[in-house]
Amino acid sequence: MAAGLAALSAGAVFALPAQAHVKWFAPYIVDAAPQPISTTLTNPWFWTGIGLVLAFFLATLAVERMTLGRAVQTGLDKISAPLWSRSDDFMRASIGAYFVAIFAVGGIYLTPDLKTDSELISWAQLLIAACVFSRRTMPIAAAGIITLWVVALREYDFFHLLDYLALGVGVSAYLLMASSNDEKWRARRFLALRWGIAIALMWSSLEKFAYPDWFYPLVEEKPFLTFGMPRDVFIPMAGVAEFTLGFGLLWTPLVRRLSAVALLVIFFTAVYPFGRIDLVGHALIMAALFLVAADPCREAKAAAAKMPNSLPLRQPGHGAGRTCRRPPGARERLLGTSWGILRS
Protein backbone atom coordinates (compact mmCIF):
# COMPACT_ATOMS: atom_id res chain seq x y z
CA MET A 1 0.00 0.00 0.00
CA ALA A 2 2.84 2.36 0.90
CA ALA A 3 4.55 1.66 -2.41
CA GLY A 4 1.37 2.29 -4.35
CA LEU A 5 0.64 5.53 -2.53
CA ALA A 6 4.25 6.62 -2.97
CA ALA A 7 3.97 6.07 -6.72
CA LEU A 8 0.74 8.04 -6.81
CA SER A 9 2.08 10.94 -4.75
CA ALA A 10 5.37 11.06 -6.65
CA GLY A 11 3.52 11.37 -9.91
CA ALA A 12 1.34 14.13 -8.50
CA VAL A 13 4.34 16.04 -7.20
CA PHE A 14 6.52 15.79 -10.30
CA ALA A 15 3.97 16.21 -13.08
CA LEU A 16 1.53 18.94 -12.03
CA PRO A 17 2.31 21.54 -14.72
CA ALA A 18 3.05 18.79 -17.21
CA GLN A 19 -0.69 18.28 -17.59
CA ALA A 20 -1.34 21.94 -18.37
CA HIS A 21 -0.93 21.78 -22.13
CA VAL A 22 1.69 24.39 -22.94
CA LYS A 23 0.15 25.29 -26.32
CA TRP A 24 -2.99 26.49 -24.52
CA PHE A 25 -1.29 28.85 -22.07
CA ALA A 26 2.17 29.87 -23.33
CA PRO A 27 3.85 30.95 -26.59
CA TYR A 28 5.52 28.25 -28.68
CA ILE A 29 7.14 27.80 -32.09
CA VAL A 30 6.29 24.45 -33.62
CA ASP A 31 8.97 24.61 -36.34
CA ALA A 32 11.76 25.52 -33.88
CA ALA A 33 14.79 23.22 -33.77
CA PRO A 34 14.44 20.61 -31.01
CA GLN A 35 17.03 20.28 -28.28
CA PRO A 36 19.62 17.57 -29.07
CA ILE A 37 18.78 14.23 -27.51
CA SER A 38 22.25 14.13 -25.97
CA THR A 39 21.27 17.07 -23.78
CA THR A 40 18.50 15.02 -22.21
CA LEU A 41 20.56 11.84 -21.92
CA THR A 42 23.35 13.69 -20.09
CA ASN A 43 20.97 15.49 -17.73
CA PRO A 44 21.35 13.99 -14.23
CA TRP A 45 17.83 15.09 -13.25
CA PHE A 46 16.37 13.10 -16.13
CA TRP A 47 18.03 9.95 -14.77
CA THR A 48 17.05 10.86 -11.21
CA GLY A 49 13.41 10.94 -12.31
CA ILE A 50 13.82 7.62 -14.14
CA GLY A 51 15.33 6.02 -11.04
CA LEU A 52 12.60 7.26 -8.70
CA VAL A 53 9.75 6.17 -10.97
CA LEU A 54 11.36 2.78 -11.64
CA ALA A 55 11.74 2.17 -7.90
CA PHE A 56 8.10 3.08 -7.25
CA PHE A 57 6.82 0.93 -10.10
CA LEU A 58 8.88 -2.11 -9.10
CA ALA A 59 7.70 -1.73 -5.52
CA THR A 60 4.08 -1.58 -6.71
CA LEU A 61 4.62 -4.71 -8.84
CA ALA A 62 5.97 -6.53 -5.77
CA VAL A 63 2.97 -5.45 -3.66
CA GLU A 64 0.59 -6.52 -6.44
CA ARG A 65 1.72 -10.14 -6.10
CA MET A 66 1.02 -10.15 -2.37
CA THR A 67 -2.21 -10.58 -0.43
CA LEU A 68 -2.09 -6.85 0.27
CA GLY A 69 -2.10 -6.10 -3.46
CA ARG A 70 -5.15 -8.27 -4.00
CA ALA A 71 -6.86 -6.56 -1.09
CA VAL A 72 -6.14 -3.15 -2.62
CA GLN A 73 -7.59 -4.30 -5.94
CA THR A 74 -10.69 -5.63 -4.21
CA GLY A 75 -11.13 -2.32 -2.43
CA LEU A 76 -10.82 -0.42 -5.70
CA ASP A 77 -13.38 -2.79 -7.23
CA LYS A 78 -15.93 -2.05 -4.50
CA ILE A 79 -15.43 1.70 -4.72
CA SER A 80 -15.67 1.83 -8.51
CA ALA A 81 -18.37 -0.82 -9.05
CA PRO A 82 -21.21 1.72 -9.59
CA LEU A 83 -19.18 3.48 -12.29
CA TRP A 84 -17.97 0.31 -13.98
CA SER A 85 -21.50 -1.11 -14.16
CA ARG A 86 -22.38 1.84 -16.43
CA SER A 87 -18.98 2.20 -18.10
CA ASP A 88 -20.27 2.52 -21.66
CA ASP A 89 -23.00 4.93 -20.65
CA PHE A 90 -20.43 7.04 -18.81
CA MET A 91 -17.97 7.14 -21.70
CA ARG A 92 -20.56 7.91 -24.34
CA ALA A 93 -22.10 10.65 -22.18
CA SER A 94 -18.62 12.10 -21.57
CA ILE A 95 -17.85 12.20 -25.29
CA GLY A 96 -21.20 13.85 -25.98
CA ALA A 97 -20.72 16.41 -23.20
CA TYR A 98 -17.22 17.23 -24.44
CA PHE A 99 -18.37 18.02 -27.97
CA VAL A 100 -21.30 20.04 -26.66
CA ALA A 101 -18.81 22.03 -24.56
CA ILE A 102 -16.47 22.83 -27.45
CA PHE A 103 -19.52 23.65 -29.61
CA ALA A 104 -20.56 26.15 -26.94
CA VAL A 105 -17.07 27.63 -26.79
CA GLY A 106 -17.01 27.93 -30.58
CA GLY A 107 -14.19 28.80 -32.91
CA ILE A 108 -12.06 25.68 -32.27
CA TYR A 109 -11.58 22.35 -33.99
CA LEU A 110 -11.00 19.74 -31.32
CA THR A 111 -8.99 21.43 -28.55
CA PRO A 112 -8.50 25.00 -27.29
CA ASP A 113 -5.40 25.82 -29.38
CA LEU A 114 -6.83 24.74 -32.76
CA LYS A 115 -8.68 27.93 -33.70
CA THR A 116 -11.05 28.29 -36.65
CA ASP A 117 -13.41 30.93 -38.04
CA SER A 118 -15.73 28.35 -39.57
CA GLU A 119 -19.16 28.07 -37.97
CA LEU A 120 -19.67 24.82 -39.87
CA ILE A 121 -16.95 23.18 -37.75
CA SER A 122 -18.81 24.07 -34.55
CA TRP A 123 -22.09 22.67 -35.84
CA ALA A 124 -20.29 19.51 -36.96
CA GLN A 125 -19.13 19.03 -33.37
CA LEU A 126 -22.71 19.32 -32.14
CA LEU A 127 -23.66 16.63 -34.67
CA ILE A 128 -20.90 14.39 -33.31
CA ALA A 129 -22.31 14.84 -29.81
CA ALA A 130 -25.78 13.85 -31.01
CA CYS A 131 -24.46 10.70 -32.73
CA VAL A 132 -22.81 9.05 -29.72
CA PHE A 133 -26.05 7.97 -28.03
CA SER A 134 -27.08 5.30 -30.52
CA ARG A 135 -25.08 2.34 -31.76
CA ARG A 136 -26.34 2.97 -35.28
CA THR A 137 -24.90 6.49 -35.40
CA MET A 138 -21.73 5.99 -33.33
CA PRO A 139 -19.67 5.20 -36.49
CA ILE A 140 -20.74 8.63 -37.83
CA ALA A 141 -19.39 10.25 -34.67
CA ALA A 142 -16.12 8.31 -35.02
CA ALA A 143 -15.75 9.36 -38.65
CA GLY A 144 -16.55 12.96 -37.68
CA ILE A 145 -13.73 13.08 -35.12
CA ILE A 146 -11.16 11.81 -37.62
CA THR A 147 -12.52 14.15 -40.31
CA LEU A 148 -12.13 17.20 -38.06
CA TRP A 149 -8.51 16.20 -37.39
CA VAL A 150 -7.85 15.88 -41.13
CA VAL A 151 -9.57 19.18 -41.92
CA ALA A 152 -7.42 20.90 -39.30
CA LEU A 153 -4.37 19.96 -41.39
CA ARG A 154 -5.33 22.79 -43.76
CA GLU A 155 -4.42 25.36 -41.10
CA TYR A 156 -1.99 23.54 -38.80
CA ASP A 157 1.07 21.47 -39.59
CA PHE A 158 1.23 17.73 -39.07
CA PHE A 159 3.66 17.91 -36.13
CA HIS A 160 1.31 20.18 -34.19
CA LEU A 161 -1.65 17.89 -34.77
CA LEU A 162 0.26 14.80 -33.67
CA ASP A 163 -0.51 15.93 -30.12
CA TYR A 164 -4.15 15.01 -30.72
CA LEU A 165 -3.87 12.08 -33.14
CA ALA A 166 -3.61 9.24 -30.63
CA LEU A 167 -6.47 10.58 -28.49
CA GLY A 168 -8.70 11.12 -31.52
CA VAL A 169 -7.95 7.65 -32.90
CA GLY A 170 -8.48 6.07 -29.47
CA VAL A 171 -11.89 7.70 -28.98
CA SER A 172 -12.93 6.92 -32.57
CA ALA A 173 -11.81 3.30 -32.18
CA TYR A 174 -13.84 3.04 -28.99
CA LEU A 175 -16.97 4.31 -30.74
CA LEU A 176 -16.51 1.96 -33.70
CA MET A 177 -15.82 -1.10 -31.56
CA ALA A 178 -18.62 -0.31 -29.13
CA SER A 179 -21.09 -0.15 -32.02
CA SER A 180 -19.88 -3.41 -33.58
CA ASN A 181 -21.98 -6.58 -33.56
CA ASP A 182 -18.78 -8.65 -33.46
CA GLU A 183 -18.09 -9.61 -29.84
CA LYS A 184 -14.35 -9.94 -30.49
CA TRP A 185 -14.11 -6.32 -31.64
CA ARG A 186 -16.41 -5.01 -28.93
CA ALA A 187 -14.31 -6.71 -26.25
CA ARG A 188 -11.35 -4.52 -27.24
CA ARG A 189 -13.10 -1.15 -27.07
CA PHE A 190 -11.70 -0.10 -23.68
CA LEU A 191 -8.28 -1.48 -24.58
CA ALA A 192 -8.17 0.76 -27.67
CA LEU A 193 -9.25 3.75 -25.58
CA ARG A 194 -6.59 3.06 -22.96
CA TRP A 195 -3.84 2.72 -25.57
CA GLY A 196 -4.91 5.97 -27.23
CA ILE A 197 -4.72 7.89 -23.94
CA ALA A 198 -1.39 6.31 -22.97
CA ILE A 199 0.24 7.17 -26.30
CA ALA A 200 -1.16 10.71 -26.22
CA LEU A 201 0.34 11.31 -22.76
CA MET A 202 3.70 9.78 -23.69
CA TRP A 203 3.91 11.84 -26.88
CA SER A 204 2.99 15.04 -25.06
CA SER A 205 5.76 14.43 -22.51
CA LEU A 206 8.43 14.47 -25.23
CA GLU A 207 7.93 18.22 -25.67
CA LYS A 208 9.47 18.76 -22.25
CA PHE A 209 12.68 17.13 -23.45
CA ALA A 210 12.75 18.52 -27.00
CA TYR A 211 11.44 22.06 -26.31
CA PRO A 212 11.97 22.87 -22.62
CA ASP A 213 12.07 26.60 -23.40
CA TRP A 214 8.37 26.47 -24.31
CA PHE A 215 7.64 25.91 -20.62
CA TYR A 216 9.79 28.73 -19.28
CA PRO A 217 7.08 31.46 -19.56
CA LEU A 218 4.56 29.18 -17.86
CA VAL A 219 6.91 28.43 -14.97
CA GLU A 220 7.90 32.08 -14.61
CA GLU A 221 4.26 33.19 -14.57
CA LYS A 222 3.26 30.52 -12.03
CA PRO A 223 6.42 29.70 -10.05
CA PHE A 224 4.50 27.75 -7.40
CA LEU A 225 4.09 24.93 -9.92
CA THR A 226 7.69 23.83 -9.44
CA PHE A 227 7.39 23.48 -5.64
CA GLY A 228 10.53 25.57 -5.25
CA MET A 229 12.64 23.45 -7.62
CA PRO A 230 14.75 25.20 -10.30
CA ARG A 231 12.98 25.12 -13.67
CA ASP A 232 15.78 23.16 -15.39
CA VAL A 233 15.48 20.52 -12.69
CA PHE A 234 11.72 20.40 -12.61
CA ILE A 235 10.88 20.30 -16.34
CA PRO A 236 12.82 17.12 -17.24
CA MET A 237 11.55 15.34 -14.13
CA ALA A 238 7.99 16.41 -14.96
CA GLY A 239 8.50 14.99 -18.46
CA VAL A 240 9.69 11.68 -17.00
CA ALA A 241 6.68 11.54 -14.66
CA GLU A 242 4.20 12.25 -17.46
CA PHE A 243 5.77 9.68 -19.78
CA THR A 244 5.99 6.94 -17.18
CA LEU A 245 2.48 7.50 -15.83
CA GLY A 246 1.23 7.24 -19.42
CA PHE A 247 3.28 4.09 -19.87
CA GLY A 248 1.93 2.82 -16.55
CA LEU A 249 -1.55 2.70 -18.14
CA LEU A 250 -0.25 -0.20 -20.25
CA TRP A 251 1.22 -2.19 -17.34
CA THR A 252 -0.28 -4.65 -14.88
CA PRO A 253 -3.75 -4.02 -13.39
CA LEU A 254 -2.63 -2.40 -10.12
CA VAL A 255 0.04 -0.26 -11.79
CA ARG A 256 -2.35 1.04 -14.43
CA ARG A 257 -5.10 1.72 -11.91
CA LEU A 258 -2.77 3.66 -9.60
CA SER A 259 -1.31 5.49 -12.61
CA ALA A 260 -4.83 6.49 -13.65
CA VAL A 261 -5.64 7.70 -10.11
CA ALA A 262 -2.39 9.70 -9.98
CA LEU A 263 -3.12 11.31 -13.35
CA LEU A 264 -6.66 12.19 -12.25
CA VAL A 265 -5.28 13.88 -9.12
CA ILE A 266 -2.88 15.86 -11.31
CA PHE A 267 -5.51 16.90 -13.85
CA PHE A 268 -8.01 18.01 -11.21
CA THR A 269 -5.31 19.90 -9.30
CA ALA A 270 -4.29 21.70 -12.49
CA VAL A 271 -7.82 23.08 -12.94
CA TYR A 272 -7.34 25.59 -10.12
CA PRO A 273 -4.35 27.48 -11.63
CA PHE A 274 -5.40 27.04 -15.28
CA GLY A 275 -9.19 27.22 -15.15
CA ARG A 276 -12.00 25.95 -17.36
CA ILE A 277 -9.89 25.69 -20.51
CA ASP A 278 -7.74 23.05 -18.87
CA LEU A 279 -10.79 21.16 -17.59
CA VAL A 280 -12.58 21.16 -20.94
CA GLY A 281 -9.45 20.41 -22.94
CA HIS A 282 -8.61 17.34 -20.87
CA ALA A 283 -12.18 16.15 -20.29
CA LEU A 284 -11.98 13.12 -22.61
CA ILE A 285 -8.68 11.97 -21.12
CA MET A 286 -10.05 12.35 -17.61
CA ALA A 287 -13.22 10.41 -18.45
CA ALA A 288 -11.17 7.54 -19.86
CA LEU A 289 -8.86 7.60 -16.82
CA PHE A 290 -11.88 7.10 -14.55
CA LEU A 291 -12.65 3.91 -16.46
CA VAL A 292 -9.04 2.71 -16.33
CA ALA A 293 -9.06 3.19 -12.55
CA ALA A 294 -12.44 1.41 -12.29
CA ASP A 295 -11.60 -1.56 -14.54
CA PRO A 296 -11.81 -4.69 -12.33
CA CYS A 297 -10.23 -6.98 -14.90
CA ARG A 298 -7.15 -8.84 -13.67
CA GLU A 299 -6.14 -10.02 -17.15
CA ALA A 300 -4.91 -8.29 -20.29
CA LYS A 301 -7.80 -9.65 -22.36
CA ALA A 302 -11.45 -9.63 -21.46
CA ALA A 303 -14.81 -10.47 -22.95
CA ALA A 304 -17.50 -7.83 -23.43
CA ALA A 305 -21.16 -7.92 -22.55
CA LYS A 306 -23.75 -6.91 -25.12
CA MET A 307 -24.49 -3.21 -25.38
CA PRO A 308 -28.00 -1.91 -26.13
CA ASN A 309 -28.71 0.29 -29.14
CA SER A 310 -29.19 3.39 -26.98
CA LEU A 311 -28.40 4.52 -23.46
CA PRO A 312 -30.67 2.48 -21.17
CA LEU A 313 -31.87 2.91 -17.65
CA ARG A 314 -29.92 0.66 -15.34
CA GLN A 315 -31.54 -2.73 -15.07
CA PRO A 316 -31.22 -4.86 -11.92
CA GLY A 317 -28.71 -7.62 -12.30
CA HIS A 318 -26.82 -6.05 -15.18
CA GLY A 319 -23.09 -5.99 -14.52
CA ALA A 320 -20.16 -4.14 -16.00
CA GLY A 321 -19.41 -3.55 -19.65
CA ARG A 322 -17.16 -6.61 -19.68
CA THR A 323 -16.07 -9.45 -17.44
CA CYS A 324 -12.76 -11.19 -16.97
CA ARG A 325 -12.25 -14.81 -17.85
CA ARG A 326 -11.86 -17.07 -14.83
CA PRO A 327 -8.81 -19.33 -15.02
CA PRO A 328 -9.87 -22.95 -15.62
CA GLY A 329 -10.20 -25.01 -12.44
CA ALA A 330 -9.32 -28.66 -11.90
CA ARG A 331 -12.68 -29.83 -13.24
CA GLU A 332 -12.33 -27.89 -16.47
CA ARG A 333 -8.76 -29.09 -16.95
CA LEU A 334 -9.86 -32.72 -16.38
CA LEU A 335 -12.72 -32.38 -18.89
CA GLY A 336 -10.36 -30.82 -21.41
CA THR A 337 -7.85 -33.61 -21.01
CA SER A 338 -10.59 -36.29 -21.30
CA TRP A 339 -11.94 -34.70 -24.46
CA GLY A 340 -8.42 -34.67 -25.93
CA ILE A 341 -8.01 -38.39 -25.20
CA LEU A 342 -11.39 -39.23 -26.76
CA ARG A 343 -10.54 -37.24 -29.91
CA SER A 344 -7.23 -39.11 -30.19
Side-chain angles (χ1 to χ4, degrees):
M1 178 71 77
L5 292 176
L8 190 154
S9 60
V13 167
F14 289 137
L16 176 59
Q19 308 308 327
H21 205 292
V22 68
K23 294 187 180 72
W24 302 349
F25 303 104
Y28 62 92
I29 302 174
V30 173
D31 56 358
Q35 181 176 258
I37 190 172
S38 58
T39 304
T40 298
L41 295 179
T42 57
N43 188 331
W45 298 110
F46 169 80
W47 293 107
T48 300
I50 291 287
L52 287 171
V53 172
L54 184 60
F56 289 134
F57 274 28
L58 290 177
T60 305
L61 286 173
V63 170
E64 186 172 7
R65 295 183 174 92
M66 302 176 184
T67 304
L68 177 59
R70 292 190 290 273
V72 172
Q73 292 258 57
T74 302
L76 290 172
D77 292 346
K78 291 180 180 178
I79 294 171
S80 60
L83 172 62
W84 186 249
S85 66
R86 299 295 298 269
S87 53
D88 283 300
D89 300 350
F90 173 78
M91 193 63 219
R92 292 158 73 182
S94 297
I95 296 171
Y98 175 78
F99 281 97
V100 168
I102 60 177
F103 162 76
V105 171
I108 60 176
Y109 278 104
L110 292 166
T111 60
D113 63 310
L114 301 179
K115 308 295 184 182
T116 179
D117 295 326
S118 173
E119 279 295 311
L120 182 61
I121 296 297
S122 295
W123 288 102
Q125 289 166 155
L126 185 62
L127 177 62
I128 290 173
C131 288
V132 301
F133 296 101
S134 171
R135 284 182 59 186
R136 295 183 180 88
T137 56
M138 284 163 67
I140 298 174
I145 294 171
I146 298 299
T147 300
L148 286 179
W149 188 90
V150 173
V151 170
L153 285 171
R154 298 181 307 167
E155 301 179 38
Y156 297 89
D157 59 58
F158 181 71
F159 178 79
H160 187 169
L161 290 175
L162 279 178
D163 285 357
Y164 312 111
L165 177 60
L167 179 60
V169 170
V171 173
S172 298
Y174 165 79
L175 290 170
L176 283 174
M177 293 178 180
S179 66
S180 174
N181 292 321
D182 189 331
E183 293 293 337
K184 292 181 179 179
W185 282 108
R186 190 179 304 147
R188 297 180 175 90
R189 64 192 185 278
F190 292 115
L191 180 64
L193 186 63
R194 180 158 53 87
W195 270 85
I197 301 233
I199 293 172
L201 289 170
M202 289 189 286
W203 173 259
S204 176
S205 72
L206 299 181
E207 292 179 349
K208 296 164 187 64
F209 307 125
Y211 305 100
D213 52 315
W214 287 1
F215 297 84
Y216 291 165
L218 196 63
V219 170
E220 291 171 0
E221 180 184 351
K222 303 179 186 297
F224 63 89
L225 295 174
T226 68
F227 298 94
M229 299 169 64
R231 68 182 187 186
D232 292 327
V233 172
F234 182 80
I235 291 174
M237 295 184 76
V240 170
E242 184 177 1
F243 184 92
T244 51
L245 286 174
F247 185 72
L249 299 178
L250 307 177
W251 272 31
T252 58
L254 184 58
V255 171
R256 66 179 179 238
R257 294 178 87 169
L258 289 178
S259 295
V261 171
L263 286 165
L264 282 169
V265 170
I266 294 164
F267 280 124
F268 276 114
T269 307
V271 172
Y272 173 73
F274 295 103
R276 290 179 297 171
I277 292 178
D278 191 79
L279 178 62
V280 172
H282 288 128
L284 284 183
I285 293 180
M286 293 166 71
L289 287 173
F290 272 112
L291 295 184
V292 175
D295 188 349
C297 188
R298 302 292 191 268
E299 301 177 15
K301 296 181 180 180
K306 291 184 178 180
M307 188 198 307
N309 287 331
S310 58
L311 289 177
L313 294 174
R314 184 174 181 181
Q315 299 296 328
H318 282 207
R322 56 175 178 164
T323 56
C324 299
R325 290 193 185 94
R326 179 176 60 85
R331 181 180 180 184
E332 288 85 346
R333 290 196 296 270
L334 178 60
L335 289 174
T337 303
S338 303
W339 176 243
I341 294 173
L342 289 174
R343 289 188 60 187
S344 301

